[in-house]
Amino acid sequence: MSEQTTEAADVQAFHSTDTPLTQDELARVIADDIAPGSFVNLGIGQPTTVSNYLSPEKKVTLHTENGMLGFGPQATGDQVDEDLINAGKIPVTELPGASYFHHADSFAMMRGGHLDVCVLGAYQVSATGDLANWSTGKPGAIPAVGGAMDLAIGAKDTYVMMDLFTKKGDRKLMAECTFPLTGVGCVSRIYSDRAVLLLDPSGVVTVRELHGLTFEELQERHPDVRFEKAGA
Amino acid sequence: MLEFVDTAAEAVSRITDGATVLIGGFGNAGQPMELIDALMDSGATGLTVVNNNAGQADAGLALLIKERRVAKIICSFPRQSDSWHFDEAYRAGEIELELVPQGNLAERMRAAGAGIGGFFSPTGYGTQLAEGKEVREIDGKHYVLESPIRGDFALIKAYAADPYGNLVYRKTARNFGPVMATAAAHTIVQVDEVLDEPLNPEHVVTPGIYVDTVVGIPTGSGVKEREEREALTAGRPKPCMATKTAAELAAQK
């Protein structure tokens, strides 16, 4: 193991297992990499499951772009209040220390680099960290972007949580995205069922973890991407 | 001059054909539903509407769009599972859409309200939504020039107004309200409570300088607010307080 301890997640040496991670296991891997005391935005959908593994002792505060820090789990029964929802428009709860603010402040907070981590889904990510997650560019589709472009470039670190391949078996890690971009060079890590990958502007992808996929298979499926094992 | 009126119809009576109307709300939270209904009844048409979405189901903004009263919509997320009236108008080419990332949408209105002529935003750089816009590199980072969005009117929902037009909001229903209030020539507010006494100046979220017309309309927000106050008075936690974090709940399962 590395002698460095300050940024343990960054210096983890390459390791692998024989089976792909389940969604819950993946959520736990991401949660474990989020530093105590962080301010975090978990987007909508699958990334929100990361909160299931953020222990209270870590004192991580969740941000939702519709104007709140410190929201708790989904509201049930009497807790439900129409005036208290998250970005997915799901009723949520307040935790002690919560705060409310207006939309311009909420996005200023994000754009200004005050959030530590944002976790988003993706259609495609490029080796240099370009993100495509708002449109598949299908002709005739009605476009909708929401806060995706602001989120992608706002946080200090943008992590993508996704499957490494589509259901059809198409790759989602690209040399260059073919879908319309959400942001340029904004993704620093990909957390997927089969691989945990660290990205930087060089385009050389550092492979931290593989699950049910060998390094050779990874390279074979992405011939135009250069990979290196972490800590190698 | 600040005015307090009795009905939503009076509140929106100044809005004329072709006006640009900023409409608050994110989902149902903070949506000035009664003001939108009154705007519908007023007959005003050819409107430009600014809202985060483009109407949901068969209510409010969706009905304005259904009746083709909205010529143009500026929003971040028009397409939803229940945005069928917008979808139909858009596919028929009967509504113009300007799609704006949500943070740029808020900041463009903030700029209008703050007298800023434009600003460079990193959001959208290198994407389709920045095509044709001026790009500038500042300290090694790329930014896109964005322009202010001004409204002739803003329709917003706050929780309470005092006699000076000072406003407080409720939870995430605040969303676009305070920004839109600053960005419109005439701001119309519906509130659950019209107070007889001034608000604590330390608690004011939108100062009365931004507010022109106030109408008191009781909604579900007032019901929840009273439940919350009763609980606190009785020494119980507010109903919306989480008793456990997501991780603690997940661990129980």
Side-chain angles (χ1 to χ4, degrees):
Chain A
M1 284 300 289
S2 165
E3 63 289 354
Q4 294 178 44
T5 52
T6 46
E7 290 185 49
D10 287 336
V11 296
Q12 280 186 37
F14 172 78
H15 53 286
S16 62
T17 65
D18 293 337
T19 47
L21 297 175
T22 64
Q23 298 217 342
D24 282 338
E25 286 167 343
L26 185 57
R28 185 188 294 270
V29 170
I30 298 173
D32 287 349
D33 280 355
I34 293 174
S38 294
F39 291 87
V40 176
N41 185 303
L42 296 177
I44 56 173
Q46 193 196 356
T48 61
T49 61
V50 171
S51 67
N52 292 341
Y53 300 98
L54 293 168
S55 69
E57 297 75 46
K58 260 188 146 171
K59 295 192 186 308
V60 168
T61 304
L62 297 182
H63 171 264
T64 183
E65 58 266 32
N66 54 318
M68 183 181 190
L69 279 166
F71 69 92
Q74 187 168 346
T76 54
D78 290 345
Q79 291 176 324
V80 174
D81 187 324
E82 267 205 344
D83 290 336
L84 178 48
I85 58 175
N86 66 12
K89 296 173 184 159
I90 292 167
V92 290
T93 48
E94 266 181 31
L95 286 169
S99 56
Y100 297 108
F101 31 85
H102 63 65
H103 244 80
D105 276 353
S106 185
F107 281 88
M109 193 177 284
M110 186 186 295
R111 215 188 289 110
H114 305 282
L115 291 182
D116 296 293
V117 174
C118 175
V119 186
L120 297 170
Y123 296 140
Q124 291 177 335
V125 182
S126 83
T128 55
D130 294 353
L131 172 67
N133 80 345
W134 74 283
S135 163
T136 56
K138 230 181 8 197
I142 295 173
V145 67
M149 290 188 182
D150 312 272
L151 284 162
I153 55 98
K156 288 178 194 154
D157 268 304
T158 297
Y159 297 164
V160 157
M161 182 182 196
M162 67 178 196
D163 289 336
L164 195 58
F165 302 101
T166 67
K167 287 197 180 80
K168 281 199 251 162
D170 295 333
R171 54 189 277 204
K172 298 174 74 173
L173 170 65
M174 314 297 286
E176 277 185 50
C177 296
T178 56
F179 290 157
L181 291 188
T182 307
V184 177
C186 53
V187 178
S188 58
R189 294 184 188 178
I190 296 172
Y191 290 88
S192 74
D193 53 345
R194 290 175 181 273
V196 175
L197 307 170
L198 315 183
L199 309 183
D200 67 52
S202 74
V204 179
V205 175
T206 303
V207 184
R208 195 183 84 181
E209 300 175 26
L210 287 174
H211 301 283
L213 188 73
T214 67
F215 189 85
E216 291 68 30
E217 285 165 344
L218 176 72
Q219 185 66 74
E220 206 170 291
R221 294 294 304 272
H222 307 85
D224 50 5
V225 174
R226 205 174 128 205
F227 297 97
E228 278 178 5
K229 287 183 185 173
Chain B
M1 178 72 189
L2 174 67
E3 60 176 3
F4 289 80
V5 298
D6 294 327
T7 65
E10 282 174 84
V12 303
S13 59
R14 283 191 180 80
I15 301 180
T16 51
D17 291 355
T20 295
V21 186
L22 318 178
I23 301 181
F26 181 92
N28 286 326
Q31 238 198 105
M33 200 52 97
E34 287 74 9
L35 291 179
I36 303 171
D37 289 346
L39 180 60
M40 178 77 181
D41 294 340
S42 79
T45 192
L47 303 169
T48 293
V49 168
V50 185
N51 182 258
N52 188 57
N53 303 106
Q56 287 107 298
D58 283 297
L61 177 54
L63 293 182
L64 275 177
I65 292 170
K66 181 188 177 195
E67 297 301 324
R68 301 297 188 265
R69 305 268 285 281
V70 182
K72 178 178 179 181
I73 186 148
I74 304 175
C75 70
S76 84
F77 210 83
R79 186 195 62 225
Q80 303 194 105
S81 57
D82 55 356
S83 62
W84 47 76
H85 292 307
F86 171 80
D87 298 0
E88 193 190 311
Y90 182 76
R91 291 194 199 288
E94 291 171 358
I95 188 167
E96 184 186 343
L97 168 67
E98 181 179 346
L99 189 71
V100 182
Q102 202 172 129
N104 281 354
L105 187 67
E107 191 65 12
R108 287 176 65 185
M109 288 187 279
R110 200 199 70 81
I116 302 294
F119 59 94
F120 283 96
S121 169
T123 301
Y125 166 72
T127 74
Q128 284 176 3
L129 298 188
E131 278 171 15
K133 294 182 176 178
E134 183 183 337
V135 170
R136 191 171 296 183
E137 190 177 332
I138 302 170
D139 292 336
K141 193 169 162 180
H142 290 94
Y143 297 82
V144 180
L145 181 61
E146 294 291 344
S147 57
I149 299 174
R150 263 182 210 91
D152 298 310
F153 297 90
L155 303 184
I156 65 173
K157 179 181 177 182
Y159 181 69
D162 76 6
Y164 301 87
N166 297 314
L167 306 177
V168 288
Y169 299 80
R170 203 167 170 271
K171 307 185 189 293
T172 58
R174 182 180 306 196
N175 58 67
F176 286 95
V179 186
M180 290 182 167
T182 69
H186 189 107
T187 294
I188 302 163
V189 189
Q190 70 168 76
V191 293
D192 271 75
E193 284 191 47
V194 178
L195 306 170
D196 296 328
E197 298 295 320
L199 284 161
N200 181 337
E202 297 287 2
H203 296 173
V204 171
V205 177
T206 293
I209 189 171
Y210 298 116
V211 176
D212 300 283
T213 301
V214 177
V215 57
I217 300 172
T219 71
S221 298
V223 176
K224 295 306 283 190
E225 182 65 18
R226 282 186 292 280
E227 281 176 21
E228 191 164 306
R229 287 179 194 169
E230 275 167 32
L232 290 173
T233 307
R236 286 181 278 121
K238 296 189 288 186
C240 70
M241 282 303 281
T243 49
K244 292 191 163 60
T245 68
E248 288 170 316
L249 287 175
Q252 274 179 356
K253 281 183 190 166

